[in-house]
Amino acid sequence: MTLPISAERVSTPRLTLNVLSVPDSAGDPVVFVHGNVSSSAFWCSTMTAIAAEGFRPYALDLRGFGDSDPEPVDASRGVRDYSDDLLALLDRIGPAHLVGWSLGGGVVMQAMRDRPEAVRSATLVNPVSPYGFGGTTGPDGVLTSPDGVGSGGGAANPEFVAALRAGDRSADSPVSPRTVLRATYVAAGTDLGEEEDAFVESMLSTRIGEDHYPGDSLPSDAWPGVAPGKRGVLNTIAPTNFRIDDLHEIDPKPPILWIRGDQDVIVSDTSLFDLAHLGAIGAVPGWDGTPAQPMVTQTRAVLDRYGAYREVVVEGAGHGPHLDKPAEFRAALLAHLRG
């Protein structure tokens, strides 16, 4: 039996959020936070599955995605515009288990960092590094340049941005949302079935512009010539704006499940979305030797200091193990929630 999903506009002092839930579900609340260029729609199957196991799931659209208010994103605060919106929702439903995917993993880490008492547990699904995305090296997230060059709004593929703006639903281009979904959100060869069209529509719900995706940028004298700005999505996870290296100092310490796909090409020590790695393999010209960001290594270093975590690697899964290996993902998540 497929349980229904309902959508509700939830007003908070910050903005009005679009929140999905499963009617008549009961149990501990679990709040799902989506990643970049997506929305709550990517969580529907997971929500119905855990509702059937005795939990009360919710999934919100972050500002500028899905049907939540498209309030501008102040990236000078890192991801706090998103995490404060999430905490405003928790003010309505109470402390909850949080599940964050990719960018959403960074949002969950920030919410934990700022208000750990509101978090019963955290699940980080292929999360952005605690040192952001691009522009750092080494396990401790040392900036490769003081201005964070190689990260932020200018690091986005302009052809992909144009395809989003145009509402491209085809698979005719290597940078169309559908092609990017198939090639990078999941492991190669994954059949998403009838959900694929809904996922593409979810990606196309992304607001485009300097206040949203990808954000603004600044020129840099260092290779590859773009530095992060202070507005929009990609700048929220630029290392000059976002850094969580003191997570081990919070009290209480909610238990963390770190779950990731071994075929992830987005959040990786050799990410195909990291300009430094692309330069090293010749895909971006003029590479000056800037090292790639070891994203997985950085996350492990921060969580090792934290202590109260478990790492699960899902074989054959890509960036979204809840999409391409749902049974394995749900088993690990439910064990964590029940633990």
Side-chain angles (χ1 to χ4, degrees):
M1 180 181 67
T2 301
L3 298 175
I5 296 281
S6 69
E8 179 185 2
R9 299 275 291 168
V10 177
S11 295
T12 77
R14 294 180 51 78
L15 79 169
T16 298
L17 295 165
N18 184 62
V19 180
L20 303 186
S21 62
V22 178
D24 301 321
S25 59
D28 289 347
V30 183
V31 179
F32 293 88
V33 187
H34 65 81
N36 193 15
V37 191
S38 63
S39 74
S40 58
F42 276 80
W43 290 118
C44 288
S45 294
T46 305
M47 292 174 66
T48 58
I50 73 157
E53 297 290 337
F55 292 92
R56 180 163 45 102
Y58 300 89
L60 77 160
D61 290 336
L62 298 174
R63 61 173 62 200
F65 299 96
D67 292 322
S68 287
D69 286 354
E71 296 298 314
V73 178
D74 179 1
S76 69
R77 308 182 67 234
V79 300
R80 277 193 171 97
D81 269 358
Y82 300 130
S83 61
D84 285 351
D85 294 345
L86 170 60
L87 291 170
L89 177 62
L90 296 189
D91 288 339
R92 293 283 302 268
I93 66 177
H97 301 278
L98 302 184
V99 182
W101 173 38
S102 194
L103 166 65
V107 174
V108 166
M109 282 189 275
Q110 189 68 64
M112 289 176 59
R113 166 66 183 79
D114 293 343
R115 201 191 300 176
E117 68 276 7
V119 182
R120 296 187 181 203
S121 75
T123 299
L124 307 176
V125 186
N126 290 90
V128 63
S129 163
Y131 303 114
F133 198 99
T136 67
T137 186
D140 295 326
V142 177
L143 288 171
T144 57
S145 177
D147 62 359
V149 67
S151 67
N157 184 319
E159 295 179 352
F160 177 60
V161 176
L164 288 173
R165 191 189 301 274
D168 185 354
R169 293 170 172 80
S170 76
D172 299 336
S173 163
V175 294
S176 75
R178 189 179 300 273
T179 303
V180 170
L181 169 69
R182 293 174 178 175
T184 67
Y185 282 39
V186 292
T190 299
D191 182 3
L192 293 170
E194 61 186 21
E195 288 187 300
E196 182 176 282
D197 286 344
F199 294 155
V200 172
E201 294 304 315
S202 169
M203 296 171 72
L204 292 174
S205 76
T206 302
R207 306 309 198 280
I208 304 299
E210 290 191 339
D211 283 325
H212 295 292
Y213 185 83
D216 65 347
S217 63
L218 295 171
S220 175
D221 292 334
W223 182 90
V226 290
K230 297 295 185 182
R231 299 159 58 196
V233 179
L234 293 186
N235 293 310
T236 68
I237 50 175
T240 49
N241 297 323
F242 175 75
R243 185 179 181 92
I244 299 181
D245 56 3
D246 59 352
L247 199 63
H248 59 286
E249 296 179 1
I250 66 172
D251 184 26
K253 284 186 177 179
I256 294 175
L257 169 64
W258 175 26
I259 183 167
R260 60 185 183 87
D262 70 343
Q263 302 298 310
D264 188 4
V265 298
I266 297 179
V267 174
S268 166
D269 286 3
T270 53
S271 170
L272 294 181
F273 287 70
D274 178 6
L275 292 180
H277 176 65
L278 292 175
I281 63 175
V284 176
W287 182 58
D288 65 350
T290 299
Q293 179 187 9
M295 303 176 187
V296 172
T297 298
Q298 290 174 348
T299 296
R300 184 173 294 112
V302 167
L303 293 182
D304 280 347
R305 287 196 297 271
Y306 186 82
Y309 87 98
R310 176 176 176 239
E311 178 182 357
V312 173
V313 180
V314 182
E315 293 186 7
H319 188 57
H322 54 300
L323 307 175
D324 50 17
K325 295 291 182 180
E328 294 90 333
F329 174 81
R330 293 168 192 172
L333 175 61
L334 287 167
H336 180 61
L337 296 176
R338 289 169 175 153

